[in-house]
Amino acid sequence: HMFIRDSPTTRRAFPVRARVGNRALSVMVRRRTGVRLRDLGPLRVARRRALLDLGLTDRRSGYPLEMVVAAADAGWRITETEVPYLPRTGRSKVTGTWMGTFRAVRDMRRVLR
């Protein structure tokens, strides 16, 4: 069983390009796995042993997506719950730059193949 969800407290907490990309990824995940997600946020909760048994290999931006896809393929029940968060302090390597966003999309596309 995996719990997943985040909920920005303001629009500044999640840049427009990240919101658009997140929406597109949610659609792709649904097509690939049948799991309906509103969000592909960074927070996940699962039992350690079960998580290790998924055999995840991505060590970059594809990791959160790989975890959801592998969990769905393993038959896990995936539940979303809201976890509020504030705008990031400092600059994100992923959503803070166009190049970071491009790398994240590239990594995530590999997971969905």
Side-chain angles (χ1 to χ4, degrees):
H1 189 132
M2 177 190 304
F3 293 95
I4 174 176
R5 182 73 171 130
D6 58 11
S7 179
T9 56
T10 71
R11 293 184 78 62
R12 288 183 326 124
F14 209 37
V16 172
R17 65 180 165 269
R19 287 193 300 264
V20 170
N22 194 43
R23 190 171 313 233
L25 281 171
S26 295
V27 169
M28 288 187 256
V29 166
R30 184 178 23 212
R31 286 183 186 151
R32 163 65 177 75
T33 65
V35 173
R36 289 182 167 273
L37 296 177
R38 292 175 293 173
D39 194 0
L40 190 65
L43 179 64
R44 309 220 179 346
V45 178
R47 294 200 179 271
R48 182 179 186 276
R49 181 77 256 158
L51 181 60
L52 293 173
D53 289 345
L54 290 178
L56 304 177
T57 59
D58 193 302
R59 296 295 177 243
R60 290 176 24 134
S61 301
Y63 182 81
L65 180 61
E66 181 185 17
M67 185 187 302
V68 171
V69 170
D73 289 350
W76 288 22
R77 184 178 54 176
I78 298 174
T79 306
E80 290 183 303
T81 188
E82 290 195 13
V83 177
Y85 65 90
L86 298 169
R88 179 184 191 105
T89 357
R91 190 164 151 183
S92 167
K93 292 177 283 194
V94 177
T95 60
T97 67
W98 283 103
M99 185 52 95
T101 301
F102 171 77
R103 284 187 193 114
V105 168
R106 184 186 61 206
D107 291 349
M108 291 180 183
R109 286 188 68 190
R110 286 184 195 141
V111 171
L112 289 171
R113 289 184 189 172

